[in-house]
Every structure is written in structure tokens, then in C-alpha cells.
Amino acid sequence: MLESQDIEDRDAIPRAENLLLSLEELLAAGLHIGTRIAARFMGRFDPGRVLAVSSRLYGKTPVEKFAEITRTVPIVGRFMPGLISNPLQPHHAEPQVVLVTDPRADWQAIKEATSVGVPVIALCDTDNVFSGVDFVIPVNNKGRRALAVVYWLLARQVLRERGELPQDGTIPQTVDDFETKLAAMPMGRASGGEA
């Protein structure tokens, strides 16, 4: 009886026609809706003045691909203090908006953006604090696949909002292109032994 009830509950989930991806793909990636509004907001700014930030390893490839496609500025790895707030810093940036992958890991970017009045869009999981964040996209921001899906969706939607892509068009890159690949370790090294 319990199994048939579960099937009925699953079948009762609405299958919206205007989702950016199928509901199954979104749920499988642990992703929630919120990318369309964020993309509309980001699409209004000069691409060269939008920073996409990720200090997390799993966010490196998605941020780099997003920046490549949307012509925004990627900041991966360590966010150098003073990048936004110190005009004397050699690589000083004056962004109009900052997109961060994880507010906990990318706190320096949020701190600097808010200190100069730059809006912050953040991919947030349930364990994140929203201090300094102006717009939250609820998503599993620690999963490789979830980050690939959200950055792929954002890239496609930003181009649509700018008018560079038809509203029903898509980008040639796949979600897999946005996913950080794990390097295979030789068998002997994984356990600490000699190969």
C-alpha cells in the first residue's frame, strides 16, 4: 500500500512546461528554480563588469565555462583581498554585480562587494548565511553536478536575456562540459601503497 501511495504522490508532481530543464533533471541535481530572475538581473550589466567567483574546487570549471560563454570575469581559487575594495591593488576590479558559488567559502568577495555597494548574487545551500547577499539562488552548492547544471542554466539564460540567443535557443555546450572532472588516481596510490 505504501508503495502505491508513493507512486501516486510522485505522479501528482506538476510537470510545468516552462521549466528551464525537465523537473527530473533539476531534482536529480538538487537544484531549485531561481536562475531565471538572476539571469535577467545579470543580463542588464556590462559582461566585463560581472564577476563570477568560486574558491571551491567543484566550482572552478563551472565558473570558467560560464565566464567564457557570457564574457564575464572569472575569479577562481583564492579571492585576493582588496580586489574590489582597494583601487591600488594591481588587478583591481570595479564590478557592477558579483556572483558567488558559496557564501561560506567566498566570504571575502561578499565582504568587499557589500563595502562598495555592489549587489551580490549567491548560490546558497541550507547551511549558508545570507549576510551581504542581495539575491539567493537555492541550490546544492557543494555538488559537482548541481553546480554544472546551475551555471549552464545561468549561462544560457543570461544570453537569452541579452538577446544574444533566441528565447527557445540553447548553447552548444552541454551540462557535462560545465562539470568538474575528477582525476583518476593510480590504484596503489589511493590506499597509500606503492604502485
Side-chain angles (χ1 to χ4, degrees), residues 57-58 61 142-145 176 179-185:
L57 176 63
Y58 286 171
T61 302
K142 290 160 192 66
R144 287 183 310 125
R145 188 67 177 181
D176 290 335
E179 189 170 351
T180 299
K181 307 299 185 251
L182 297 178
M185 291 181 66

Side-chain angles (χ1 to χ4, degrees), residues 164-180:
E164 297 175 21
L165 194 64
Q167 287 301 316
D168 61 346
T170 192
I171 56 179
Q173 295 81 0
T174 65
V175 172
D176 290 335
D177 295 332
F178 280 72
E179 189 170 351
T180 299

Side-chain angles (χ1 to χ4, degrees), residues 46-122:
D46 171 21
R49 295 198 52 202
V50 174
L51 295 185
V53 180
S54 180
S55 60
R56 290 196 172 276
L57 176 63
Y58 286 171
K60 181 182 186 299
T61 302
V63 163
E64 289 173 342
K65 280 304 222 184
F66 172 81
E68 174 189 326
I69 292 166
T70 60
R71 300 179 316 281
T72 57
V73 180
I75 307 290
V76 294
R78 183 171 183 247
F79 186 91
M80 294 303 291
L83 183 70
I84 297 172
S85 61
N86 182 0
L88 299 177
Q89 211 258 17
H91 301 289
H92 178 68
E94 293 183 2
Q96 294 174 319
V97 66
V98 174
L99 169 65
V100 298
T101 304
D102 183 350
R104 181 179 297 164
D106 302 322
W107 65 271
Q108 183 70 36
I110 294 171
K111 178 181 172 185
E112 292 196 23
T114 56
S115 75
V116 295
V118 173
V120 175
I121 300 171

